[in-house]
Amino acid sequence: MSGILEGKRILITGVLMESSIAFHTAKLAQEQGAEIILTAFPRPSLTERIAKKLPKPVKVLELDVSSEEQLAGIADQVREHLPTLDGIVHSIGFAPQDALGGNFLDTPWESVATAMQVSAFSLKSLTMALLPLMQDGGSVVGLTFDAQYAWPQYDWMGPAKAALESTNRYLARYLGERNIRCNLISAGPIGSMAAKSIPGFGELADTWNHRSPLKWDLSDPEPAGRGVVALLSDWFPKTTGEIVHVDGGLHAIGA
């Protein structure tokens, strides 16, 4: 029986650790029949080492999404390995340390601007850079952390994720005519590299121990990876501009 991504070609960003959602997305995508290619920054060699744990060998390309020069050349680099793309996975987020950990009121604009460019604007810039490879439509899937709340210690990553969610809706609006779907997975907290960079992450994650209807496991990124793969597949042919929660149901629960 063939997988739900059989014959599809997918570019995946953000594979930094085996514990990351991006890694499990890549693993599941291969298991479901997709050919994949990875991008990495700032240490492609780290991603290359992690990629050896995937079921099949995969090419890793360096890509800094804040570099116009690298974005301008990425489609040609991908084309050397995959002639077209059917999907893009945006798993990119970064904020300087002075934009996190309770420093919200004192964070300078330069740090906020970095968080916004890398974490939100990059969804648009990455998609547009790869658009020439998606002539037959496809699916763009990003990762967010529910931006309707002000989370402890998360600070300027919250507004950055809100911008990401809005950017996703506008991409859905403008790319629908090209038959490109744009959706996000809003995942619960995972003990990834990105999470470990947030001061006080444990306090934030502890919320799931008390309020999540379904038991949440910080060490299990696979449910979120399954959500990404499902949105990459043809099983959601008319879903776009959506945010699918894979968070144990916490988003639906009050105090």
Side-chain angles (χ1 to χ4, degrees):
M1 184 176 179
S2 61
I4 63 172
L5 295 184
E6 192 69 38
K8 293 194 179 298
R9 301 178 175 118
I10 311 292
L11 180 141
I12 301 174
T13 66
V15 175
L16 295 177
M17 298 175 67
E18 193 173 354
S19 60
S20 69
I21 295 172
F23 175 86
H24 282 263
T25 296
K27 178 176 179 288
L28 289 163
Q30 285 189 334
E31 291 173 351
Q32 291 298 317
E35 292 181 79
I36 68 171
I37 191 166
L38 306 180
T39 69
F41 186 81
R43 293 172 59 193
S45 59
L46 174 61
T47 297
E48 287 170 352
R49 288 199 298 272
I50 298 299
K52 291 178 181 178
K53 299 182 180 182
L54 292 170
K56 299 177 183 178
V58 61
K59 181 66 178 178
V60 178
L61 303 177
E62 181 176 357
L63 177 62
D64 175 2
V65 291
S66 66
S67 167
E68 292 186 11
E69 181 180 358
Q70 289 194 23
L71 285 167
I74 190 62
D76 287 338
Q77 288 188 62
V78 172
R79 200 178 278 115
E80 292 177 9
H81 307 280
L82 297 177
T84 60
L85 286 176
D86 302 290
I88 300 167
V89 178
H90 180 279
S91 180
I92 301 169
F94 172 77
Q97 282 297 302
D98 62 356
L100 300 165
N103 201 47
F104 184 89
L105 298 178
D106 298 313
T107 303
W109 164 245
E110 291 78 12
S111 296
V112 174
T114 297
M116 289 291 180
Q117 180 179 16
V118 177
S119 306
F121 183 76
S122 65
L123 179 64
K124 176 264 184 187
S125 55
L126 176 68
T127 301
M128 294 307 294
L130 296 170
L131 199 60
L133 301 177
M134 301 182 75
Q135 295 300 312
D136 296 323
S139 175
V140 178
V141 185
L143 291 166
T144 189
F145 189 71
D146 203 329
Q148 64 180 317
Y149 301 111
W151 297 102
Q153 312 298 325
Y154 204 51
D155 289 354
W156 281 101
M157 276 303 292
K161 289 297 187 182
L164 175 74
E165 293 175 7
S166 184
T167 299
N168 174 67
R169 289 187 286 270
Y170 276 93
L171 282 174
R173 181 184 185 97
Y174 286 107
L175 296 181
E177 64 183 12
R178 299 173 184 252
N179 196 33
I180 294 174
R181 296 171 286 117
C182 303
N183 297 288
L184 299 176
I185 291 291
S186 181
I190 297 294
S192 63
M193 182 177 290
K196 291 176 181 177
S197 69
I198 301 171
F201 174 76
E203 177 189 350
L204 186 158
D206 189 53
T207 305
W208 267 256
N209 292 328
H210 307 290
R211 288 179 50 204
S212 177
L214 298 176
K215 185 177 180 181
W216 186 255
D217 185 351
L218 283 171
S219 65
D220 185 10
E222 185 167 322
R226 284 175 176 262
V228 175
V229 168
L231 287 172
L232 289 169
S233 79
D234 294 330
W235 284 93
F236 287 86
K238 299 300 178 185
T239 298
T240 194
E242 185 60 271
I243 301 174
V244 177
H245 289 81
V246 183
D247 66 347
L250 186 138
H251 71 282
I253 303 301

